[in-house]
Amino acid sequence: MRLLLFLLFSLNVWAVGFLQPDEAFKPKISVIDDNTVGIEIELGEMIYLYENKLKVEDANPKDGIDFASVTMNKAVDHEGERVFETSPAIRVKLSKSTDVSGEQTIGVKLSYQGCSSAGLCYEPIETVLKITIDTAKLTEESAPGGSILKAPAVETAKVEVSAPKEEPKASETDRIADVIQGGSLWFIILSFFGFGLLLALTPCVFPMIPIISSVIVAQGAGLGTKKAFWLSVVYVLSMAVAYTIAGILAGLFGANLQAAFQTPWIITLFSLVFVVLAMSMFDLFELQIPNAVQSRITQLSGKRSGIVGVAIMGFLSALIVGPCVAAPLAGALIYIGQTGDALLGGVALFALSIGMGIPLVAVGTSAGKFMPRPGVWMDSVKSIFGIMLIGVSIWMISRIIDENISMMLWGALAVFVAINIGALEPISGNCIRCPQANKKALGIIILLYGMSLLLGGMSGAKDPLHPLDPFLPNKEVAVSVAQNQHKTFERITSIEELEAILAENKGQKVLVDFYADWCTACKELEEKTFSDESVKTAMDSYVLVQVDLTANDDAAKAISSKYGIFGPPAILFFDENSARIKSADIVGFKEPQEFLKHLGEIK
């Protein structure tokens, strides 16, 4: 824990290396002519201002001097947002609505927010600029006073002062980021702990259940509930530290550490590690640290045997097994990226990770409490966990291999299980309702399903729930015809391809799905939500684009950085003018009905 706090503090100190707000933004006001005042905002190096965050307001609406109109330079496009990269050169045209005379001091209330291209966004800033003018030289006009004016996007265009516009609806991730920015420390901790408990019910955490169970069982005889509990806590704390470090790095530097671990060779290596662990569970050999190393660890850790291995497994599991991005995680990363506050953002991420790990502690403790004594039962339990580890290995390697090959691997595992529980063994005597007969019946069912997966995989099938579809030509044709009635995703990998599609489809709405083969939630989104007939019909009104981030190469990093995507799955929406509807962003998995409701709320 101390190491984690030290790391968070160090990263927070690093963030202070950015320009301070008063160095990044230097507003000043001056008289341009008898009826006009000018406002300049001198920007520091690599600093830019958001157009939609720049507001001008009369600080003294009842002083008899009003803002008739405002002009300014044109904003430019920067990563999908309209920004000022130099001073906006605001010009405020003044008029007097009452009989005022002599010199008078007026106040201009200026609100703005900007960011550094190096990766830090500043909090909104509000200031009042004062200047003395000669009211005798002002023209008298009837103009409304005291209204807020948002900066226009037209170069040196006259903009009449208008009433405040309704602020755009914030996206789900932005609302969660606001929880951190506006909440107390304990409210943030409790909120993100609750988010973590909810995420524990997603595919991000499920693969870790057999891992932690196997790790606990591997401790062997003499393992009690107390030791199982503490080993589970070590596993979860290590997992939480990994998530927190990866999240802080992603927020501060834009580097998705989890995505970096999704390269084919790392996934293959880790899958083989699980196979080796499974073989050890089957007692084909015994995994043991060399005596010299084991002796040294014992000297350093006393009675804390097994803790180092459990901690390493927890840390690596978080990075490699469960690379998921959901709205709470993305919200924390946005907060860190905008404010550079690694300490508070890191606390939120750590609380989120602990919430995700609570069910794992319960599972690990239960494995210790109910673990049988050495003997036949112990061998059976170890075999079950060995099969589960092979399942995790197949699940991982499925991210980088064809779906039909994945089906064949699952089929081979099913056949292996069926044979080992006695599917092909004869029943002794007149046993009809005895346990042996029940095991044989179950084994035969698993054997038949495993064989169908093998046959289907060899024939090119991809759906494990319909492995024999290639042998049903009429059904295949019907499915193909039904699919052709709806739009399909066009897969791309770069910014240039997406910009070309947006340019070609002016006048049409565009839906962009960020996807990766190694992303479990992405596949769930495809198989459950995008395959729903009602969802397909609703998406027909959009041009459908899928950005493939599987390679995690420079092109993938560039397009993720441009649109502020910390990792898949994420869905962006663009209107008929190719402008991003930021409030409509989706991060993480959504059920079909939730997705349809979300589509209906997009304006």
Side-chain angles (χ1 to χ4, degrees), residues 521-579:
C522 298
K523 293 185 176 181
E524 189 179 13
L525 197 62
E526 283 198 328
E527 295 168 2
K528 194 169 184 179
T529 303
F530 292 161
S531 63
D532 184 88
E533 193 64 28
S534 299
V535 172
K536 287 181 178 180
T537 302
M539 291 196 304
D540 282 340
S541 60
Y542 291 86
V543 174
L544 303 180
V545 182
Q546 189 171 72
V547 180
D548 189 356
L549 303 178
T550 303
N552 195 36
D553 53 14
D554 291 341
K557 292 175 183 176
I559 194 169
S560 296
S561 175
K562 177 177 175 65
Y563 293 103
I565 304 299
F566 291 103
I571 302 174
L572 309 185
F573 297 86
F574 294 82
D575 64 17
E576 291 85 349
N577 297 315
S578 299

Side-chain angles (χ1 to χ4, degrees), residues 216 223-229 362-372:
I216 299 300
L223 177 68
T225 304
K226 183 177 180 180
K227 184 176 180 181
F229 170 77
V363 169
T365 304
S366 300
K369 180 177 177 62
F370 300 108
M371 190 175 70

Side-chain angles (χ1 to χ4, degrees), residues 82-95:
R82 302 291 295 176
V83 303
F84 297 101
E85 295 181 336
T86 59
S87 174
I90 303 169
R91 298 293 181 262
V92 181
K93 186 79 171 179
L94 302 175
S95 66

Side-chain angles (χ1 to χ4, degrees), residues 267-492:
I267 291 176
T268 302
L269 180 61
F270 215 66
S271 297
L272 291 176
V273 168
F274 283 120
V275 172
V276 171
L277 292 174
M279 297 301 103
S280 177
M281 287 287 183
F282 296 143
D283 289 331
L284 295 181
F285 57 86
E286 183 177 356
L287 280 177
Q288 188 171 0
I289 299 174
N291 290 333
V293 177
Q294 192 175 44
S295 175
R296 181 61 178 164
I297 291 175
T298 302
Q299 291 175 4
L300 293 175
S301 60
K303 296 181 179 180
R304 294 175 292 175
S305 58
I307 288 180
V308 175
V310 172
I312 293 173
M313 184 61 74
F315 192 92
L316 292 177
S317 295
L319 295 178
I320 302 174
V321 179
C324 290
V325 173
L329 176 60
L333 299 185
I334 288 173
Y335 172 80
I336 295 172
Q338 288 182 343
T339 66
D341 190 346
L343 185 60
L344 185 56
V347 168
L349 286 171
F350 190 76
L352 179 79
S353 305
I354 294 297
M356 292 170 61
I358 290 298
L360 296 179
V361 172
V363 169
T365 304
S366 300
K369 180 177 177 62
F370 300 108
M371 190 175 70
R373 296 178 180 178
V376 176
W377 276 102
M378 171 64 93
D379 294 338
S380 299
V381 169
K382 288 176 66 178
S383 296
I384 291 172
F385 283 117
I387 291 169
M388 293 171 69
L389 285 173
I390 292 179
V392 172
S393 176
I394 296 174
W395 174 82
M396 285 194 64
I397 202 70
S398 296
R399 303 174 185 177
I400 58 173
I401 61 176
D402 291 338
E403 291 173 316
N404 63 310
I405 297 177
S406 175
M407 268 185 58
M408 292 169 64
L409 291 175
W410 285 114
L413 179 61
V415 171
F416 174 80
V417 172
I419 292 174
N420 275 274
I421 64 175
L424 303 181
E425 295 180 2
I427 300 177
S428 59
N430 297 321
C431 176
I432 298 177
R433 296 183 179 179
C434 61
Q436 185 183 5
N438 296 333
K439 285 177 61 179
K440 183 178 178 67
L442 178 62
I444 290 174
I445 293 172
I446 296 175
L447 179 64
L448 291 174
Y449 180 63
M451 292 177 63
S452 68
L453 288 177
L454 284 169
L455 288 172
M458 287 186 283
S459 301
K462 297 181 178 180
D463 187 352
L465 297 179
H466 303 90
L468 300 180
D469 273 0
F471 302 100
L472 303 171
N474 292 333
K475 181 177 180 179
E476 184 177 355
V477 171
V479 171
S480 177
V481 171
Q483 288 178 342
N484 288 335
Q485 294 176 349
H486 296 287
K487 290 184 178 179
T488 57
F489 283 93
E490 178 179 352
R491 184 167 288 196
I492 63 172

